[in-house]
Amino acid sequence: MTERTILAQSLSRIKPSPTMAVTQKARELSANGIDIISLGAGEPDFDTPDNIKNAAIEAIRRGETKYTNVDGMPEIKQAICEKFNRENELTYETAQVSVAPGGKAIIYNAMMATLDPGDEVIIPRPYWVSYPDIVLLAGGSPVFVNATLKQGFRLQPEELEQAITKKTKWLIFNSPSNPSGAAYRREQLKMLTDVLIRHPHVWVLSDDMYEHLVYDDFVFVTPAQVEPGLIDRTLTMNGVSKAYAMTGWRIGYAAGPKNLIKAMAKVQSQSTSNPSTISQWAAVEALNGPQDFIADRARVFKERRDLIVSLLNHAKGLQCPIPEGAFYVYPSCAGVIGKTAPSGKVIETDGDFAAELLDAEAVSVVHGEAFGLSPFFRISYATSTEALLEAGQRIQRFCAGLT
Ligand SMILES: Cc1ncc(COP(=O)(O)O)c(C=O)c1O
């Protein structure tokens, strides 16, 4: 007889966030006195700027500590409309805007509001770890399309075309990408929107979370901007977590067609209710206040990117392309598969590589399998230059010692 369990069957379809698990393990090892360099976390090491903190403190002092509209107060919706207009050439009214406790909650609300069993969602791999699990939790079926190293980790139009079926409801599009850092230039994105325009039943969720973290001469664009014909079936999502170093404040937002926004508010009204009022006021200041620090921080990230890419490309058996944005690199470890680690274990997968690297050199990275494309691993370079330098040297030593 099978044991009765309190846990729902739907939960068995998903797994806890692997990136959070890696960060947690590194924290535990650190607490035990091991000199870990953790390159697993997906958050900027910078602090939230003071003007944003002060806006939150003032909001508390003014007594702005009550419930707001379920999907955001008018002031933040207005600030978001202005942001889309100013930065993305997109015109939305406040009724087309949704604010949630984090970008992740926006995606969750959108999937819960739209997916029926059997509905398919196209997800390019490597993907941000939460996309497939949110789709599964909402009862949909993820359909994966590889965006390989050879393709610069970018989804190709013909492969998108092939993946579309009658059941396709969404494409989840993410540029710059977590985990690869790859981003699409206007002409590259246009080739994808040209495919989408031919399939009017397919919607696009564009996750623009890393919009401001792009380097060199890269110019960020988003699908509804490149192809205005998609505006009625695009949810353009963003948030303050990465650009404004506000991961703990939990504010994400999106704009799209009114009926979808209303349905997402319905989901939120019976789950979290409004995102923290204080955080909403902080985000109003983030969006309306000075923006110049973002470019200063992006310059620092670019230097770190160049450093870590160079260190990795000097490690035996690794190959690391230069990504356009975000704060991740996604090197291939194909050249070390089959080799033997100092422990005597043969490295058969990127999971083995990450585990052996952690054991031998106390460097924590996330294995590519977590993002759906192997054999790779993800490094977050949102950490100090000294830590990156040390980590790069440890990785080089580890790779050189493999036999
Ligand atoms: C691609 C991408 N989208 C969304 C999110 C979610 O961000 P938030 O912390 O606002 O929920 C993340 C966070 O890691 C991310 O990398």
Side-chain angles (χ1 to χ4, degrees):
M1 196 176 84
T2 48
E3 203 183 320
R4 252 168 73 81
T5 162
I6 187 71
L7 302 181
Q9 280 191 7
S10 61
L11 211 64
S12 66
R13 284 184 283 166
I14 66 162
K15 56 191 180 317
S17 163
T19 45
M20 287 184 180
V22 168
T23 313
Q24 179 64 22
K25 179 155 189 214
R27 263 193 216 121
E28 280 164 20
L29 290 170
S30 242
N32 289 336
I34 297 170
D35 171 27
I36 291 280
I37 304 182
S38 177
L39 305 176
E43 64 183 345
D45 54 324
F46 295 115
D47 198 3
T48 306
D50 276 343
N51 63 310
I52 298 174
K53 288 182 181 171
N54 288 335
I57 294 165
E58 281 162 25
I60 295 173
R61 294 233 160 88
R62 283 200 310 276
E64 305 267 9
T65 54
K66 304 284 167 60
Y67 294 131
T68 68
N69 288 351
V70 163
D71 64 350
M73 51 190 206
E75 292 84 351
I76 191 169
K77 290 192 174 190
Q78 187 56 39
I80 291 163
C81 287
E82 283 163 24
K83 175 261 179 272
F84 279 127
N85 202 315
R86 184 175 68 232
E87 297 181 343
N88 310 110
E89 304 173 294
L90 294 174
T91 309
Y92 291 112
E93 341 165 2
T94 51
Q96 293 181 280
V97 172
S98 183
V99 189
K104 191 183 266 184
I106 287 283
I107 303 169
Y108 182 80
N109 292 344
M111 293 302 124
M112 288 302 281
T114 56
L115 294 183
D116 288 315
D119 285 344
E120 294 176 355
V121 178
I122 298 175
I123 303 176
R125 326 189 241 226
Y127 46 67
W128 179 46
V129 293
S130 294
Y131 298 147
D133 286 5
I134 292 175
V135 168
L136 287 167
L137 208 50
S141 305
V143 171
F144 300 110
V145 184
N146 284 353
T148 63
L149 173 64
K150 226 171 77 203
Q151 304 160 348
F153 297 120
R154 276 182 284 269
L155 175 64
Q156 299 302 299
E158 42 305 343
E159 293 182 21
L160 170 62
E161 181 92 56
Q162 272 169 22
I164 294 174
T165 71
K166 278 198 217 101
K167 292 182 180 163
T168 308
K169 211 154 210 181
W170 288 97
L171 162 69
I172 299 187
F173 177 77
N174 175 218
S175 167
S177 146
N178 177 4
S180 72
Y184 295 68
R185 292 182 189 277
R186 181 178 282 270
E187 57 285 5
Q188 293 163 331
L189 182 49
K190 183 73 172 58
M191 289 199 286
L192 296 181
T193 58
D194 284 351
V195 174
L196 293 168
I197 215 83
R198 290 198 291 273
H199 298 275
H201 67 292
V202 180
W203 286 55
V204 195
L205 191 162
S206 185
D207 179 343
D208 299 352
M209 201 51 119
Y210 295 93
E211 162 178 20
H212 289 294
L213 301 171
V214 291
Y215 314 116
D216 306 316
D217 61 345
F218 188 87
V219 179
F220 173 86
V221 281
T222 189
Q225 173 187 20
V226 166
E227 177 48 84
L230 287 176
I231 194 86
D232 291 338
R233 48 188 170 105
T234 301
L235 185 68
T236 304
M237 180 223 129
N238 212 314
V240 294
S241 295
K242 314 286 174 168
Y244 299 93
M246 292 176 68
T247 44
W249 297 78
R250 312 307 303 132
I251 295 287
Y253 59 84
K258 275 186 206 161
N259 61 342
L260 172 62
I261 296 296
K262 225 167 131 188
M264 288 165 59
K266 196 167 166 186
V267 174
Q268 188 151 288
S269 75
Q270 296 299 13
S271 52
T272 59
S273 288
N274 66 274
S276 153
T277 308
I278 299 149
S279 296
Q280 289 190 62
W281 281 109
V284 169
E285 173 62 18
L287 295 170
N288 289 346
Q291 305 291 310
D292 36 328
F293 73 94
I294 297 179
D296 297 341
R297 290 179 175 186
R299 265 190 293 280
V300 177
F301 278 131
K302 179 202 141 44
E303 279 167 23
R304 293 174 180 173
R305 178 201 66 174
D306 292 346
L307 173 69
I308 195 68
V309 167
S310 157
L311 287 163
L312 290 168
N313 280 327
H314 284 91
K316 211 170 149 204
L318 303 187
Q319 185 195 353
C320 185
I322 304 177
E324 292 80 13
F327 39 66
Y328 308 105
V329 289
Y330 201 60
S332 161
C333 55
V336 303
I337 300 293
K339 294 199 171 172
T340 306
S343 66
K345 177 156 178 45
V346 176
I347 296 178
E348 286 170 3
T349 62
D350 49 29
D352 293 341
F353 176 82
E356 293 299 314
L357 178 65
L358 184 60
D359 271 359
E361 292 287 354
V363 175
S364 124
V365 300
V366 187
H367 55 301
E369 195 202 333
F371 308 100
L373 194 73
S374 293
F376 294 88
F377 61 100
R378 187 193 78 174
I379 281 182
S380 159
Y381 53 86
T383 187
S384 73
T385 306
E386 300 78 60
L388 284 177
L389 198 55
E390 173 65 25
Q393 286 163 353
R394 289 189 196 182
I395 293 170
Q396 287 177 353
R397 190 166 58 206
F398 176 73
C399 290
L402 299 174
T403 52

